[in-house]
Amino acid sequence: MEKTIIINIGNTIIHIEESAYELLKAYLNEVKQHFANHADDLEIVTDIENRIAELLFEQLEEQKKQVVDTANVNFVIAQMGRVQDFDMAEEGEEEPVVNTAYQYQITDKKLYRDMDERVIAGVCAGIAHYLNFEARWIRIAAILSVFIGGSGLLVYALLWIIMPKAKSRIEKMEMKGEPANLQGFQKNLDEELLAVKERLTEVNKHAQPLITKFGNFVGEFFEWLGRFMAGTGKVIFKIIAIFIVIFGVLFLLALIIGTAAFQGFWDASIYEFFPFSIINEGNRGVILFSAFIVCFIPILALVLFSIRVAFSKQAINKTLSFALLIIWLAGAATVGYQAAKISSEFKQHAELTETTELKTLPTYIIDIDRSKYFSKEDSVAYHIDGNQRNKIVIDDFEDGPFVSPNNVRINIIKSETGVTRLVQKFESQGKTFQSALQNAQNISYTYTAKESSLIFNPRFQLRKGSIWRNQEVWINLEIPVGTKVIIKEDSYRYINNYGTWDCADKENDSNDYSTWIMTEDGLRCVAQLKEEAVKKQKLEQELSDLKVLQKQKPVDSVYQDSVSNRIREVKQELGINIEENQDNQ
């Protein structure tokens, strides 16, 4: 009677006698010591252990035993071979050499896809190993077979699916017909190292001339560039400099004429337009002059430099150049200072709210007043007689480059108190909270409430002498649930967060308005609610019909499953909680 040990080798549980275990352990230690100097020694030893486990398992199957004994281990060792049975590479030898003294025999090959030599999927390379052909001939045959009714592509795709990949070292050895013993592993390893060495040598062989060629190319390029600059380049640069002089002078003349024309256009009314409305009245002249200097002097310097390049003459002396530089720096500093000063007047934020209760009505009509707002001063300036009531000046809706961003945004929301009211919120910014609040108070906004019509002005006005400090007007119209709202087409661009244009499309009519209603979930398009109601009615009818069908055919399980799935989908679309519904049933 001998002691039995349970071991795990190659992820396989095997019962082995103690003496056989000691013999196998000594053998594996020899193998590990032999391959210890290789970079992938762990992978090699793991593959060898897997192969040993496979041979031991075959022995147990063949002899119909459950425990491995010494005879089985000796048989496996004989199959795998011992380390001392084959010649080793000479010590200190740097280059890996395939040892030709191995007792090497070709074994039965297996069909795998060669992933190391693949072009697409490794099918042709794997077939070449199996048939002992060169891979290029198999690839040529595969390409030619494509032209035979396209059958080659189909065959290649099928083989791609059927043939496994050669992932492990043992699978690669089986693919090439190499024996899965120590000699085979050593030969495979030496071949891999030799291939790596050859690839490195080839890379170095090609890389050295490439670096040399690149260095020569760079040297020749700069040498050619020097000759070009001394010859043809001078002519080209002079031509370019002449063009710069011509266009630079034209630009300077245009800048001078434009500034003069702007000065003629410059009056008190210009500060009502954006972005001039941002600038404080006392700093306007300084900012304009500084901006002119910042734009003028760099172009002048470029023109003078181009004159020197084109005609080899110095247009101005160093003293004048220095003076222009100092003037430009002073202008740039002034512009920067004024910009920082203006930006500091946007630090604080203030809001002013005005609430007005309206008469609660079942329907409201939202419209925009396109007539232009005029103050008394405007009426006098434009000679508008107050008695001429039939004459209306229409405001332009388009936002041009000099139109202040003073549009109004309207929110229609649900009233939590059941009372209809209009909340106007005036916002602005300033250097201090007090100045920001004063800027908000300088906003002038008008609207008209006439019976069920609410007519809003599309823009607000700033009182005379006010400057733009990011003023905004937000209007919240709070209405009770169930209140109907008719929104005129001119109002669409001012209503905030609602798809007013989409609602008009759903109504599918030529009216210049869309109809909405306030619900618990907010303002909803009436046409959309009708559409959802029709859809809900159809889904409810479908659900009823499906339940009838479910009861009529209880035998056909496939049919029952399809009906049940559709019932579940319909319930989800209707918002019915399926779990609660099942509990109730």
Side-chain angles (χ1 to χ4, degrees), residues 125-137:
I127 295 174
H129 287 303
Y130 190 77
L131 299 178
N132 200 23
F133 277 100
E134 290 188 20
R136 59 179 175 177
W137 301 117

Side-chain angles (χ1 to χ4, degrees), residues 294-521:
V294 169
C295 297
F296 185 85
I297 290 181
I299 304 300
L300 178 62
L302 180 62
V303 170
L304 296 175
F305 176 76
S306 300
I307 291 174
R308 182 175 181 178
V309 172
F311 305 105
S312 301
K313 293 182 179 180
Q314 189 170 355
I316 57 174
N317 55 33
K318 293 184 178 180
T319 305
L320 185 56
S321 301
F322 231 15
L324 288 176
L325 177 61
I326 292 173
I327 293 172
W328 182 84
L329 290 174
T334 304
V335 171
Y337 170 75
Q338 294 295 336
K341 187 176 180 181
I342 292 173
S343 63
S344 68
E345 297 186 10
F346 289 82
K347 291 193 300 184
Q348 298 296 325
H349 176 267
E351 296 181 3
L352 186 64
T353 302
E354 181 180 340
T355 304
T356 306
E357 289 194 5
L358 303 176
K359 184 178 179 181
T360 301
L361 299 172
T363 303
Y364 288 96
I365 301 173
I366 308 298
D367 201 358
I368 293 296
D369 183 10
R370 298 189 62 187
S371 60
K372 190 167 180 62
Y373 169 80
F374 283 113
S375 63
K376 292 181 180 180
E377 293 82 359
D378 293 329
S379 300
V380 173
Y382 292 106
H383 305 290
I384 298 175
D385 189 356
N387 296 323
Q388 298 175 345
R389 299 185 181 279
N390 295 328
K391 295 182 180 180
I392 300 175
V393 180
I394 300 300
D395 191 11
D396 183 12
F397 276 92
E398 297 300 324
D399 295 327
F402 300 108
V403 177
S404 297
N406 58 352
N407 287 341
V408 177
R409 304 304 299 170
I410 303 171
N411 290 321
I412 305 175
I413 59 178
K414 182 182 71 171
S415 174
E416 301 294 341
T417 60
V419 177
T420 303
R421 61 179 186 173
L422 194 69
V423 180
Q424 301 177 74
K425 185 168 65 173
F426 307 101
E427 299 182 8
S428 185
Q429 291 175 304
K431 190 170 185 178
T432 62
F433 177 78
Q434 184 177 359
S435 61
L437 186 60
Q438 183 61 48
N439 291 332
Q441 290 175 336
N442 288 335
I443 298 173
S444 176
Y445 181 74
T446 59
Y447 70 93
T448 304
K450 187 178 180 181
E451 296 180 353
S452 61
S453 297
L454 295 175
I455 304 173
F456 297 99
N457 200 302
R459 292 194 177 98
F460 60 86
Q461 300 292 324
L462 296 179
R463 293 189 174 91
K464 291 294 182 180
S466 301
I467 54 178
W468 187 83
R469 288 297 177 262
N470 198 23
Q471 286 90 344
E472 292 182 345
V473 173
W474 292 84
I475 297 176
N476 291 337
L477 176 60
E478 300 178 2
I479 58 176
V481 174
T483 304
K484 189 178 291 186
V485 180
I486 297 175
I487 301 177
K488 290 296 188 70
E489 188 174 352
D490 287 342
S491 308
Y492 288 174
R493 60 181 297 185
Y494 301 99
I495 303 296
N496 200 40
N497 297 334
Y498 295 111
T500 45
W501 295 101
D502 295 338
C503 183
D505 294 337
K506 289 182 180 297
E507 289 179 343
N508 197 22
D509 52 31
S510 57
N511 295 332
D512 63 343
Y513 63 86
S514 58
T515 307
W516 300 71
I517 191 169
M518 182 58 68
T519 67
E520 292 290 345
D521 298 327

Side-chain angles (χ1 to χ4, degrees), residues 80-98:
M80 295 293 297
R82 288 187 173 274
V83 173
Q84 57 266 29
D85 290 343
F86 55 90
D87 296 331
M88 297 175 58
E90 296 181 4
E91 294 183 3
E93 190 177 34
E94 295 181 359
E95 295 187 6
V97 179
V98 178

